[in-house]
Amino acid sequence: MNNNEFKAKDDSIQNALYNEFTCYINADILPFNWDSDSYLNALAKGSATRLSSVIESNKLVKTLNDMIQDREHYLNKVTSEASDSEWVIEDEEWTAYVKLLNKIIKFISL
């Protein structure tokens, strides 16, 4: 695989996450209690379905795990910007975001 192919794959993941968080996990449309377990489950289930339809499941799970392990991961910054949230800055939002990513992984793995 040459660098252009690798870049294209990275761009597709970045674009898919950006679109997902812009359209479905955006601070402007989320309710105040978006971080409740029941709401996180609904968000995660939808996101898992949409994201795994455009990104290979193993690659998606690995990427999400990498994001959970590294708060400064560039994709965390992409999703934070896309959703107009501050989970890369605010600890409380980071905790809810990590729960969301873990639930997305869980639904992908079902």
Side-chain angles (χ1 to χ4, degrees):
M1 174 166 43
N2 68 38
N3 287 336
N4 290 336
E5 290 171 328
F6 184 76
K7 178 74 171 139
K9 289 180 187 267
D10 281 356
D11 285 348
S12 67
I13 291 171
Q14 180 175 332
N15 290 339
L17 288 170
Y18 185 86
N19 289 337
E20 181 67 21
F21 280 79
T22 298
C23 296
Y24 299 100
I25 308 174
N26 192 292
D28 291 338
I29 61 172
L30 290 175
F32 178 75
N33 66 337
W34 75 273
D35 58 346
S36 69
D37 275 341
S38 62
Y39 204 83
L40 282 175
N41 281 332
L43 285 173
K45 186 173 185 179
S47 290
T49 300
R50 286 184 294 274
L51 290 170
S52 63
S53 74
V54 295
I55 303 169
E56 191 269 320
S57 294
N58 289 334
K59 178 70 174 173
L60 180 57
V61 168
K62 182 189 178 319
T63 300
L64 294 174
N65 278 318
D66 290 347
M67 292 166 66
I68 290 167
Q69 296 302 314
D70 180 8
R71 189 171 183 168
E72 296 298 316
H73 193 287
Y74 79 98
L75 290 174
N76 289 329
K77 294 175 183 180
V78 167
T79 61
S80 181
E81 178 184 312
S83 67
D84 198 25
S85 297
E86 295 187 341
W87 42 69
V88 294
I89 299 169
E90 299 293 330
D91 290 340
E92 188 174 310
E93 288 191 30
W94 171 252
T95 300
Y97 174 68
V98 168
K99 284 171 57 177
L100 173 63
L101 295 183
N102 278 315
K103 288 178 181 287
I104 292 171
I105 291 169
K106 180 186 94 173
F107 283 111
I108 291 168
S109 302
L110 291 180

